[in-house]
Amino acid sequence: MTVVLYGAHNAHKCAEGNDTVRMSRVLLIEDDRAVREGVTLTLRRRGHEVEGAATGEAGLTALETFRPDLVLLDLMLPDRSGFEVCRRIRAIQQIPIIMLTARGDDIDVVLGLEAGADDYIVKPARGEVLEARIRAVLRRAVAVGGGPDPAVTQPVESHGDLTIDRAGLLVAKHGQDLALAPSEMKLLLYLSSTPGQVFSRQQLLEHVWEHSYHGDARLVDACVMRLRTKVEDSTRSPKYIQTVRGFGYRFGPL
């Protein structure tokens, strides 16, 4: 089965640097017709092409036929949970996923992030907030390596059994390529840019997710957990993505 590493294959770039213009394809999986129509209208007014789906199964079908750059996924669907849909998408693609939740309850947010979502939005969301989150997630998908100055003269790095190709945006373990979601890739590139340096959760939020989120560390912790399942031999004794209690995370081995 082919694994698609990144979405945003249809997204255009504006002339000013690395910013993604509004010409992108968004798949909206939302069973509430009023919400679906409202979000669709909002996004289309901002230049996005939007395909709506009222059930998880219809959304999975549209994923293949519509080939979106990004998925907006409601957690409460009539036929199956948004968590299950998210996991099924992640099994075949690493396309950016923003989950929509009616409440900011910790358990819903954490479960959604652990299932593989890149970000979350609490409904109802203002148009400018929705647009900002979409653009930030798409920027990560289009240009994951936009972090601190990478090792341009030696873009391929070896860290034990882990190989990081910054130029090609590829990560391999024991010679096997790993399929990393955009947030996971950018987090790894940022941490590994300075091995041994401790980064606070707030620093990681501002760099990887491009928003302060007023201290919402759940995004960082969930992404670290998913990344560890891919790069570590043991998530209980991580060698590469190390926790510095009371401070944040650092990249090893030192």
Side-chain angles (χ1 to χ4, degrees):
M1 180 178 294
T2 301
V3 177
V4 180
L5 292 180
Y6 299 106
H9 52 277
N10 302 305
H12 297 252
K13 294 181 183 178
C14 68
E16 299 178 2
N18 200 27
D19 201 14
T20 305
V21 301
R22 293 174 169 82
M23 295 293 291
S24 58
R25 296 162 67 89
V26 177
L27 172 59
L28 172 61
I29 307 176
E30 165 66 64
D31 68 313
D32 188 309
R33 181 175 179 180
V35 173
R36 190 170 65 251
E37 291 179 350
V39 172
T40 296
L41 180 61
T42 296
L43 294 182
R44 284 177 177 169
R45 283 176 173 172
R46 284 170 161 75
H48 297 285
E49 185 177 351
V50 183
E51 177 78 10
T55 66
E57 196 60 41
L60 291 169
T61 299
L63 186 71
E64 300 298 324
T65 59
F66 182 59
R67 295 183 58 80
D69 301 303
L70 176 142
V71 176
L72 289 177
L73 175 62
D74 184 28
L75 291 183
M76 302 299 292
L77 297 170
D79 58 336
R80 62 188 69 218
S81 73
F83 307 119
E84 180 185 349
V85 174
C86 186
R87 285 191 290 267
R88 287 186 59 179
I89 293 173
R90 277 286 172 261
I92 57 174
Q93 293 193 28
Q94 297 305 322
I95 185 173
I97 300 172
I98 299 177
M99 64 181 189
L100 301 173
T101 175
R103 301 171 299 174
D105 287 352
D106 284 352
I107 187 62
D108 285 347
V109 171
V110 170
L111 289 175
L113 295 172
E114 289 179 352
D118 294 283
D119 202 346
Y120 73 94
I121 296 175
V122 177
K123 298 184 291 185
R126 299 194 308 273
E128 59 269 24
V129 172
L130 185 60
E131 176 71 9
R133 299 288 182 88
I134 288 175
R135 289 168 69 84
V137 170
L138 285 175
R139 276 194 296 270
R140 293 200 294 275
V142 172
V144 164
D149 190 21
V152 177
T153 57
Q154 190 179 359
V156 179
E157 308 166 3
S158 293
H159 302 276
D161 54 21
L162 194 68
T163 302
I164 301 174
D165 180 351
R166 293 183 179 274
L169 297 178
L170 298 172
V171 177
K173 183 175 175 63
H174 298 302
Q176 298 295 315
D177 289 342
L178 303 178
L180 301 184
S183 295
E184 296 163 4
M185 176 67 81
K186 193 165 185 180
L187 178 62
L188 178 61
L189 292 179
Y190 190 58
L191 287 170
S192 64
S193 66
T194 316
Q197 179 174 335
V198 179
F199 294 95
S200 69
R201 289 175 173 83
Q202 195 66 26
Q203 286 176 300
L204 297 174
L205 281 169
E206 292 172 358
H207 178 80
V208 177
W209 285 268
E210 302 181 29
H211 293 278
S212 65
Y213 287 105
H214 304 291
D216 188 353
R218 294 173 296 188
L219 287 163
V220 176
D221 293 339
C223 192
V224 165
M225 184 193 69
R226 297 198 314 263
L227 185 57
R228 280 175 172 165
T229 64
K230 298 178 181 181
V231 304
E232 303 285 1
D233 291 326
S234 170
T235 57
R236 291 180 177 272
S237 302
K239 179 170 62 174
Y240 296 110
I241 312 299
Q242 301 176 347
T243 301
V244 181
R245 296 191 182 281
F247 293 95
Y249 297 100
R250 69 184 174 198
F251 181 82
L254 303 179

